[in-house]
Amino acid sequence: MSQAVIQLLRQKFGAAIVETHAQFGDDTAVVESSKWLEIATFLKNDPACAFEMLSDLSAVDYPERTPRLEVVAHLYSLTKGHRVRIKTRVGDEEGEGAEIDTVVGLWGTANWLERECFDMFGVNFRGHPDLRRILMYPEFQGHPLRKDYPAEKAQPLVAYRTDEEAGMSIDKQAPFGPHEGMSFARNDWTKRAEDAN
Amino acid sequence: MESLDLELDEGHLELPAEPMRLMMGPSHPAMHGTVRCVVDLSGETILNVDVQIGYLHRGFEKMCERGTWAQVFPYVDRLNYVSPMLNNVGYALAVEKMCGIVVPERCQWYRMILGELARMSDHLTCDGAMAMELGAFTPFLWMIKAREMIWDVMEEETGARLTHSFGRIGGMAKPPTKHFKDLALNTARSVVAIVDESEKMLLKNRIFVDRLENVGVISQADAISLGFTGPCLRATGVAYDIRKTQPYLKYDEIDFEVPVGTNGDTLDRFLVRLAEIRQSARIIEQACARMADEGAVSVDDPRVMLPEKTAVYGTIEATIQHFKLVMEGAKVPKGEVYSYTEAGNGELGFYLVSDGSGTPFRVRIRPPSFMNTGGLGHLLKGRMISDVVPIFGSLNMIGGECDH
Amino acid sequence: MNAPLKSVTLDGNETGFATTKLDALLGWARKWSLFKYPFVTACCGMEFMALTSPRFDGTARFGAEAPRFSPRQSDLLWVVGTISQRQAPVLKRIYEQMMEPKWVLAFGTCASSGGFYDNYTTVPGIDKVIPCDVYIPGCPPRPEAVIDGLMLLQDKIASGDRRPAIVKPRFDPVQGAQDGLVQIRKKGLLEGGDK
């Protein structure tokens, strides 16, 4: 069903559609980031597409690629019952300068989803009415879901108690060591970031 | 707190008053401990509201990138901790879609029955807690009693009351116990009886109905634009239920209805949930009749399934297989998938990206609560401060899911 | 061991008195009149609901039923669920607003140590921020374990002991019995629900 949508997109936008695929039955179009809003508007308003619902919007960080970040949106049409995934690639190899147009004007959901994407990945949404952190606190530095953000790097808002204050050691005791649990399958990128420090 | 701008036109107010800024939460009994509503009040009317979430952000997505595919199950349990089984099944289906695995029929029925029991417990908790927050304590206790009965079945099947981690890629951890069908059927019937009782108790209570009716009304178009799914969307009259529109497991072979509301107010959301509990009971009846008593519940696929324990201790092949699966994890083909199921609160989506290794490259969850809570500000604006409690309760914000 | 406890009944018109130390009397009075402040954030809240509801009735039986949603009126802080870095200042502030003497119960693994959320956003145990009296492990702990923790806290209050303690796993004699707790419930369910 949504294969037709991909065809339509190809006809209408031609070169702005970078690539398409239909892995595991999910029809996907990768689009130029400059045409993001235009394509989204078309997908929402065209009667043959009629994607009234923005199911999901998020990003994936591919540290080895340039552009590094991939913004992924999943659309669903209640009337037509079909789904499509559109993606666009933004940011340089450091993930800086990642910027695309906001789609808040089309779907109300986009407000919070884009804020989350900004918070977690540092993608800027041009024209977003209220782009600030949503899950993390404003004092937080960095974007935790980027692959080079170390998973354990906490930025506490209140100073931890000291051992003197507590009258005892408050560090984690055995068996809660630093490498307890799932450390064997640690991410390459975490390790690399640690080595760099 | 820069976010709220106070450009208030107070000309229309009867009594000129300074707007008062009130912080509700995060530690407020009606805010479930994890949401802060910064409201600007004129008298008791809410002029402006800023909903702040993230107080229960636990880094679910980051943690998933550190373990194997199978080690994600305990984390998904704790997303929607009121119905963990639905999350388990949703995630298992997503990974199976990538691996091209179809679980045996018996497992599909088993997953459906357990899932529907979990859905009942989800709706019971939501409706019960909402009633409690409005002062109706007795129905809450009754509904918790009903939920305990569901948890007993879960405990019997999985060994855990709440966080089961029972799903597996390619099946379930264990086959159903001997008395599973009787337990499930009896529980479903008892729960429906309790729901009937509680419903009578609540809906004949003028105060309760008055506080819900025509409160927090949302139009169909707004609900769709805000990404509402599940009971919150169906309360507006849109019959969008993934079990019907894009059936998975065996839902297409089952006869059940999708209850919808009429005007999308808080009472409708409450009633849709109660009606869904009854539909779940119907599904359980039919599924129990169709589920085979014998047969495998897990696929016989050494790529994803752990070998029998006796074989692990007895043969070197099984030991190696066990070791590889535990230490490196099942290899999932390279690519990306978006899989969606109907969870207690609506469309629960998993967007998974695999780089072909035993560790997920990216696990993105599409939490229904996040979208529903995103609409809270829209629902609250212009209402009274006392309406915050029923409206917030009826959206069923689940912190773990909403804040990832 | 099975001998019945001695009990003395006084007639209506009889008067009597008991002697005790002031500390012991205060400890006794405090341990049976705990006013809780439920700081409920996450999954453990579901078990907290189960704990307070009729089947387990785990707080009213110990004189700790009445919740107070103002920290100024409560003396027992239940930290139920994960505390994120964002939540930590709130928790600390609530603790500081409580009147002395005050006690803190860490309900569940996340509150005790951060649990398996060993990452950038979770406080690795509430004792990093506030002092804690009793840790109840479990993810979430069963209501039985919580009751055990509450009783442990009561003992500590009575004896004035402020050293932190952990609820240890216990052998459940009912589980091993012929007609154990689970079996009894199962039977009830098979016969048509425990009404």
Side-chain angles (χ1 to χ4, degrees):
Chain A
M1 187 69 188
S2 48
Q3 198 59 48
V5 175
I6 301 286
Q7 294 300 333
L8 208 60
L9 276 179
R10 275 202 172 286
Q11 275 170 24
K12 180 100 173 104
F13 293 98
I17 310 294
V18 182
E19 62 176 82
T20 60
H21 67 78
Q23 208 175 17
F24 308 116
D26 296 358
D27 293 294
T28 308
V30 184
V31 306
E32 285 280 349
S33 63
S34 54
K35 299 270 184 185
W36 179 254
L37 181 62
E38 202 180 314
I39 289 171
T41 315
F42 170 77
L43 285 171
K44 184 177 181 210
N45 295 335
D46 188 82
C49 302
F51 289 102
E52 304 99 347
M53 197 182 266
L54 174 68
S55 275
D56 192 18
L57 188 145
S58 184
V60 187
D61 181 16
Y62 295 97
E64 75 280 16
R65 289 192 198 164
T66 320
R68 180 169 156 172
L69 296 163
E70 198 171 75
V71 179
V72 187
H74 291 93
L75 305 178
Y76 176 61
S77 165
L78 280 166
T79 41
K80 301 265 171 190
H82 56 199
R83 286 173 194 266
V84 75
R85 176 192 298 142
I86 51 169
K87 308 203 282 188
T88 185
R89 292 172 183 149
V90 287
D92 56 13
E93 56 271 12
E94 291 299 312
E96 300 300 318
E99 217 179 45
I100 54 168
D101 286 319
T102 177
V103 289
V104 171
L106 301 171
W107 298 285
T109 343
N111 189 337
W112 274 29
L113 286 169
E114 287 178 353
R115 275 176 69 188
E116 191 199 343
C117 197
F118 163 75
D119 187 358
M120 294 285 130
F121 290 94
V123 179
N124 271 309
F125 291 89
R126 269 190 302 263
H128 190 286
D130 181 25
L131 196 65
R132 62 196 156 105
R133 287 190 182 274
I134 184 165
L135 295 178
M136 302 310 294
Y137 33 94
E139 295 86 350
F140 194 84
Q141 301 281 325
H143 301 284
L145 278 188
R146 290 217 184 155
K147 292 281 179 190
D148 50 10
Y149 189 92
E152 302 91 339
K153 190 183 162 198
Q155 304 179 20
L157 280 178
V158 282
Y160 287 167
R161 294 159 74 219
T162 56
D163 288 358
E164 290 80 56
E165 235 180 299
M168 55 183 281
S169 168
I170 59 160
D171 268 343
K172 280 185 180 182
Q173 309 281 317
F176 302 112
H179 296 296
E180 183 257 348
M182 311 202 309
S183 48
F184 50 83
R186 295 262 303 281
N187 198 300
D188 244 14
W189 298 101
T190 328
K191 221 182 307 170
R192 206 174 290 178
E194 272 170 13
D195 291 347
N197 287 338
Chain B
M1 288 320 313
E2 296 343 290
S3 47
L4 273 176
D5 49 346
L6 279 174
E7 288 172 5
L8 299 172
D9 176 20
E10 292 176 1
H12 64 285
L13 299 177
E14 287 174 8
L15 292 169
E18 284 283 299
M20 182 172 77
R21 176 164 288 183
L22 184 72
M23 309 271 186
M24 282 186 86
S27 187
H28 181 281
M31 288 288 134
H32 299 198
T34 55
V35 173
R36 167 180 274 172
C37 285
V38 182
V39 285
D40 280 338
L41 295 170
S42 163
E44 283 200 58
T45 312
I46 296 171
L47 299 173
N48 213 347
V49 57
D50 179 29
V51 182
Q52 298 178 354
I53 61 165
Y55 287 91
L56 192 57
H57 179 58
R58 300 192 277 196
F60 158 77
E61 291 171 359
K62 191 82 173 175
M63 294 313 281
C64 293
E65 293 169 12
R66 302 179 70 199
T68 62
W69 288 93
Q71 281 174 318
V72 174
F73 278 109
Y75 288 107
V76 293
D77 264 348
R78 287 153 185 85
L79 286 173
N80 184 341
Y81 37 72
V82 199
S83 51
M85 198 55 86
L86 289 167
N87 295 276
N88 270 248
V89 171
Y91 175 71
L93 285 172
V95 183
E96 282 158 13
K97 194 171 165 188
M98 282 184 114
C99 295
I101 295 172
V102 179
V103 294
E105 278 209 359
R106 187 168 180 227
C107 180
Q108 301 197 10
W109 292 115
Y110 191 38
R111 281 179 176 181
M112 273 172 67
I113 299 170
L114 287 178
E116 291 307 317
L117 283 170
R119 192 184 313 277
M120 285 172 136
S121 99
D122 192 300
H123 292 342
L124 282 168
T125 313
C126 172
D127 277 353
M130 188 167 102
M132 179 191 67
E133 281 156 9
L134 295 177
F137 213 91
T138 311
F140 169 71
L141 294 178
W142 291 354
M143 284 175 172
I144 295 294
K145 184 176 83 173
R147 195 180 72 168
E148 285 286 337
M149 288 155 57
I150 294 172
W151 285 10
D152 274 344
V153 184
M154 291 293 187
E155 189 180 353
E156 183 70 18
E157 292 301 308
T158 68
R161 279 161 60 80
L162 181 57
T163 42
H164 320 294
S165 306
F166 197 59
R168 293 290 182 274
I169 303 164
M172 291 306 241
K174 282 199 175 79
T177 57
K178 205 172 132 203
H179 295 298
F180 172 61
K181 283 186 187 173
D182 293 335
L183 281 173
L185 282 173
N186 280 334
T187 306
R189 284 179 201 137
S190 316
V191 168
V192 169
I194 292 176
V195 166
D196 288 343
E197 259 181 314
S198 316
E199 188 179 9
K200 269 185 232 155
M201 177 115 163
L202 287 171
L203 292 184
K204 294 204 175 145
N205 183 334
R206 172 91 191 273
I207 302 172
F208 183 76
V209 175
D210 278 358
R211 284 198 70 178
L212 299 189
E213 214 167 11
N214 293 322
V215 168
V217 184
I218 187 162
S219 69
Q220 277 192 13
D222 282 348
I224 292 169
S225 163
L226 285 168
F228 277 30
T229 45
C232 294
L233 178 62
R234 291 194 281 273
T236 65
V238 183
Y240 172 54
D241 186 324
I242 297 170
R243 292 174 294 170
K244 273 279 188 222
T245 50
Q246 282 106 356
Y248 53 100
L249 295 175
K250 292 280 184 189
Y251 282 111
D252 48 345
E253 298 177 20
I254 289 279
D255 175 33
F256 70 102
E257 284 153 29
V258 179
V260 289
T262 45
N263 64 342
D265 61 1
T266 309
L267 186 64
D268 272 346
R269 290 192 277 274
F270 178 81
L271 291 175
V272 163
R273 286 206 170 84
L274 287 186
E276 277 187 26
I277 294 176
R278 301 202 176 92
Q279 295 301 325
S280 290
R282 271 181 73 188
I283 296 174
I284 290 171
E285 299 248 342
Q286 296 174 48
C288 280
R290 302 269 314 262
M291 189 172 98
D293 284 321
E294 296 296 324
V297 288
S298 298
V299 287
D300 185 20
D301 187 339
R303 286 179 308 153
V304 292
M305 287 310 293
L306 287 175
E308 287 281 325
K309 266 282 181 287
T310 46
V312 175
Y313 294 135
T315 65
I316 187 69
E317 292 80 12
T319 313
I320 293 171
Q321 188 198 339
H322 188 278
F323 181 82
K324 292 280 257 186
L325 275 178
V326 171
M327 296 309 284
E328 290 173 7
K331 302 278 188 293
V332 170
K334 201 170 172 177
E336 54 189 344
V337 78
Y338 181 72
S339 166
Y340 41 93
T341 52
E342 182 74 22
N345 282 329
E347 177 182 332
L348 175 76
F350 282 102
Y351 173 59
L352 308 176
V353 181
S354 169
D355 55 359
S357 74
T359 307
F361 189 76
R362 172 102 167 92
V363 177
R364 157 76 187 168
I365 177 200
R366 185 254 185 228
S369 282
F370 185 83
M371 288 42 172
N372 293 353
T373 316
L376 183 62
H378 176 82
L379 286 174
L380 289 183
K381 223 168 268 180
R383 302 296 316 181
M384 307 281 270
I385 189 87
S386 60
D387 295 335
V388 175
V389 179
I391 293 174
F392 186 78
S394 71
L395 289 181
N396 197 15
M397 197 283 311
I398 303 291
E401 189 179 75
C402 176
D403 297 353
H404 307 265
Chain C
M1 197 178 155
N2 289 325
L5 292 168
K6 275 185 191 160
S7 70
V8 180
T9 318
L10 297 179
D11 283 335
N13 53 3
E14 229 177 303
T15 54
F17 61 91
T19 56
T20 176
K21 285 190 285 184
L22 182 64
D23 283 357
L25 179 69
L26 277 179
W28 173 83
R30 279 171 182 161
K31 88 175 203 188
W32 292 113
S33 66
L34 291 166
F35 283 77
K36 67 185 177 200
Y37 183 98
F39 196 87
V40 179
T41 60
C43 335
C44 289
M46 296 300 119
E47 278 293 16
F48 188 74
M49 280 184 192
L51 173 78
T52 49
S53 57
R55 179 185 280 178
F56 294 99
D57 197 16
T59 49
R61 285 191 280 157
F62 301 95
E65 188 185 27
R68 284 287 174 274
F69 285 103
S70 162
R72 292 170 192 83
Q73 298 172 352
S74 51
D75 53 7
L76 172 57
L77 178 63
W78 292 73
V79 185
V80 185
T82 319
I83 300 300
S84 63
Q85 299 287 4
R86 192 173 180 176
Q87 185 87 278
V90 183
L91 177 69
K92 187 160 193 215
R93 187 157 171 194
I94 281 180
Y95 177 77
E96 283 166 353
Q97 285 175 341
M98 285 167 68
M99 301 290 237
E100 291 282 357
K102 53 192 173 187
W103 293 274
V104 180
L105 251 172
F107 187 122
T109 306
C110 284
S112 303
S113 74
F116 68 174
Y117 293 104
D118 182 10
N119 59 19
Y120 59 96
T121 175
T122 310
V123 177
I126 55 165
D127 50 11
K128 293 276 184 295
V129 186
I130 58 171
C132 179
D133 287 286
V134 170
Y135 301 86
I136 308 170
C139 192
R142 296 182 63 89
E144 291 91 332
V146 183
I147 293 173
D148 211 357
L150 189 56
M151 285 159 68
L152 182 65
L153 181 73
Q154 285 187 324
D155 286 351
K156 292 167 75 62
I157 293 173
S159 61
D161 179 9
R162 292 311 298 259
R163 283 173 307 165
I166 301 176
V167 175
K168 299 258 165 51
R170 270 181 201 257
F171 172 68
D172 180 2
V174 199
Q175 289 278 357
Q178 190 75 48
D179 239 12
L181 196 61
V182 175
Q183 315 293 330
I184 294 166
R185 280 195 208 135
K186 195 164 98 184
K187 236 176 172 174
L189 278 172
L190 280 175
E191 283 155 14
D194 55 355
K195 285 191 181 166

